[in-house]
Amino acid sequence: MTIRLPDSTGGLRTYEPRPEPFAVTPGAPFTSRTVFSAAHVVADPFADTTPDSPAAVDWDATLAFRRHLWSHGLGVAEAMDTAQRGMGLDWAGAAELIRRSAAEARAVGGRIACGVGTDQITAGTLAEVRAAYEEQLALVESSGAQAILMASRALAAAASGPEDYLEVYGHLLRQAAEPVVLHWLGPMFDPALEGYWGSADLDAATDTFLEVIAAHPDKVEGIKVSLLDARREIDIRRRLPQGVRCYTGDDFNYPELIAGDDKGFSHALLGIFDPLGPLAAQAVRVLDTGDVQGFRELLDPTVELSRHLFQAPTRFYKTGVVFLAWLAGHQAHFTMVGGLQSARSLPHLARAYELADGLGLFPDPKLAEERMRNLLALYGVTQ
C-alpha cells in the first residue's frame, strides 16, 4: 500500500509506509546522562472554546502521556514552552498542570521538574516581575518538583540592562529552597526574548548569564541552553562552575552535544524527546555502555525530523509534536489549546509523518497511516 502526500511545490508524491515500528527494548535507569522530555498537553476537543479563551485540557490523556515518558526512563520537564506556556496555556492552566503532574510523578516514582515563569502578568516593574516569579516558584516547590527558572517576557521588557537580570535572578536564587535549573530560551523560540540577559550581543549576554551562575553555584543544579548554536553551548558548558550541569535544549544538534567530547558533555532537556521518547531512551542506554558510535547511529537519523519540526518560525514546533502524538495513538484527536493545530501547513505535516514513519516512531503504523489518510481527505487530497 502506498499513500500520496503533498509536497511544498503543490504536487503529490507517493510514499510507502513502513510496515513495522522501531523495536524498543526496555532497560534499566540511565546511568551516564540525565534526560528530560519537555512534554506537551492534550487539549479537550469537546470544550466550547476559542483561541483566546482559557485552555481546556484533557487531564486523563495528558497524564497518560507523562506515564508513557516515565515508563521509558525519561524525566518529565513540565509546564515548559512545549506545553504552550504563553501560546494557549495561561498561568492558571499551568499551575493546575504542575499540581497534577507532580502528584502523578510521586505516585509512579517519575522524575519531574517544572517551569517557573512570570506569565500571570504581561508587563510590570522589576518588583512585580520578582513577585510573579516568587509566586510560581513557591507553587513548584510546594508540589515537590524541581524548579526550572524560565526566561521571562516581562523581565525582558522591564530590564534596562544586565544589572537588572543580576538583581532579579540573584534574589530568586537566594530564596530558592533547592538548587534550580536556569533556562536560556533564545528569540527563535520566542521573539519577545530578544536581548535577554541585557544585551543582543550573545557574547555579552553569555557573560551575564555565567555571572549569575558564578555568584550562586550552590543554588544552580544546571542550565538549559536553547539557542540552536552548538559551539556556544559547548563554550558555556566548559565555563560552568564545577558541579553545575549543562542540559542541552538544542533540537538541531543534540546527538553530538549529548555524546560530548574529551572535555565534557551535555545532559538533555528537549522538546524533540516528546515524540522521540522510546527511541531516545534506547539510544541513551546504548551510551550508558560506553558505545558512543552506537548511540550516534540510533540518534543521528532523528535530526532531520527534529530540524523539520523546529524550522522557522521555530515557536510553532509544538504543532508537529502534537500531530505526531496523535498519529502515534497517544491521543484521539489533532486538536491543540489555542487552536495551534492550524499553525503548520499540510505539506509540513505530511513531511513530518513521512520522516517519523521512516524512523519507526509509530507503535501502530497502520493506525498512523489511517489517521494521515483521514487528514489528507479533510484537506481534499484524494488517494
Side-chain angles (χ1 to χ4, degrees):
M1 293 284 292
T2 60
I3 183 171
R4 299 171 73 209
L5 300 174
D7 59 30
S8 59
T9 69
L12 293 171
R13 66 184 185 281
T14 299
Y15 173 70
E16 183 175 351
R18 176 172 170 159
E20 298 293 335
F22 172 78
V24 177
T25 304
F30 307 144
T31 57
S32 65
R33 303 290 189 273
T34 299
V35 180
F36 289 95
S37 166
H40 73 280
V41 296
V42 182
D44 179 355
F46 302 120
D48 186 11
T49 62
T50 62
D52 58 356
S53 62
V57 177
D58 181 337
W59 294 112
D60 289 342
T62 293
L63 295 176
F65 188 75
R66 279 134 185 82
R67 291 193 297 272
H68 154 72
L69 295 172
W70 284 319
S71 74
H72 290 283
L74 299 162
V76 168
E78 189 56 276
M80 304 293 291
D81 56 286
T82 308
Q84 294 178 244
R85 293 280 300 262
M87 293 183 70
L89 188 70
D90 60 13
W91 168 235
E96 183 68 10
L97 178 64
I98 289 166
R99 284 189 288 262
R100 288 177 181 257
S101 292
E104 195 73 14
R106 290 194 299 272
V108 303
R111 182 164 184 170
I112 188 167
C114 298
V116 171
T118 63
D119 47 337
Q120 66 272 57
I121 62 173
T122 55
T125 64
L126 290 176
E128 289 168 332
V129 170
R130 285 196 304 270
Y133 264 130
E134 288 170 341
E135 178 188 359
Q136 296 199 15
L137 179 61
L139 185 143
V140 169
E141 290 184 336
S142 68
S143 76
Q146 184 179 17
I148 303 171
L149 292 186
M150 300 194 301
S152 162
R153 293 175 179 173
L155 178 55
S160 59
E163 64 283 350
D164 290 334
Y165 290 88
L166 293 170
E167 193 280 326
V168 169
Y169 277 93
H171 177 85
L172 294 169
L173 290 172
R174 283 190 295 272
Q175 72 177 48
E178 300 291 340
V180 308
V181 174
L182 294 183
H183 184 192
W184 185 356
L185 189 69
M188 67 289 295
F189 288 93
D190 186 344
L193 299 177
E194 183 70 44
Y196 211 74
W197 304 111
S199 177
D201 182 308
L202 286 180
D203 291 335
T206 297
D207 289 342
T208 301
F209 181 52
L210 290 169
E211 186 176 348
V212 169
I213 299 164
H216 308 275
D218 59 324
K219 288 296 186 75
V220 180
E221 184 270 334
I223 62 167
K224 178 183 187 290
V225 183
S226 300
L227 298 175
L228 304 183
D229 183 337
R231 294 312 310 169
R232 184 165 298 277
E233 179 174 322
I234 292 169
D235 173 67
I236 290 172
R237 82 183 183 204
R238 288 177 179 174
R239 296 168 64 187
L240 291 174
Q242 185 70 26
V244 176
R245 293 178 171 182
C246 180
Y247 291 93
T248 188
D250 187 333
D251 300 278
F252 282 7
N253 304 291
Y254 50 94
E256 66 182 270
L257 291 165
I258 297 170
D261 54 32
D262 58 355
K263 295 182 180 179
F265 57 83
S266 295
H267 299 271
L269 198 166
L270 288 160
I272 192 57
F273 280 7
D274 179 305
L276 290 184
L279 192 157
Q282 184 137 323
V284 173
R285 289 191 176 96
V286 170
L287 185 60
D288 287 345
T289 69
D291 183 359
V292 176
Q293 180 178 345
F295 166 79
R296 295 294 298 267
E297 288 174 353
L298 280 172
L299 213 56
D300 281 1
T302 70
V303 171
E304 185 178 5
L305 170 64
S306 189
R307 289 184 175 229
H308 177 73
L309 295 183
F310 285 78
Q311 68 183 226
T314 302
R315 63 189 182 279
F316 294 130
Y317 77 89
K318 306 162 188 69
T319 302
V321 166
V322 175
F323 173 65
L324 295 182
W326 172 55
L327 294 183
H330 294 299
Q331 55 194 76
H333 57 86
F334 178 36
T335 306
M336 298 177 66
V337 298
L340 209 64
Q341 67 271 12
S342 65
R344 291 295 199 187
S345 69
L346 184 62
H348 178 92
L349 297 175
R351 181 59 177 159
Y353 161 73
E354 183 178 1
L355 291 170
D357 180 74
L359 292 168
L361 295 185
F362 303 130
D364 184 345
K366 286 296 183 185
L367 174 66
E369 180 185 343
E370 178 185 349
R371 290 183 169 183
M372 188 69 224
R373 288 181 185 275
N374 287 341
L375 182 71
L376 291 168
L378 182 66
Y379 277 79
V381 179
T382 58
Q383 296 297 320

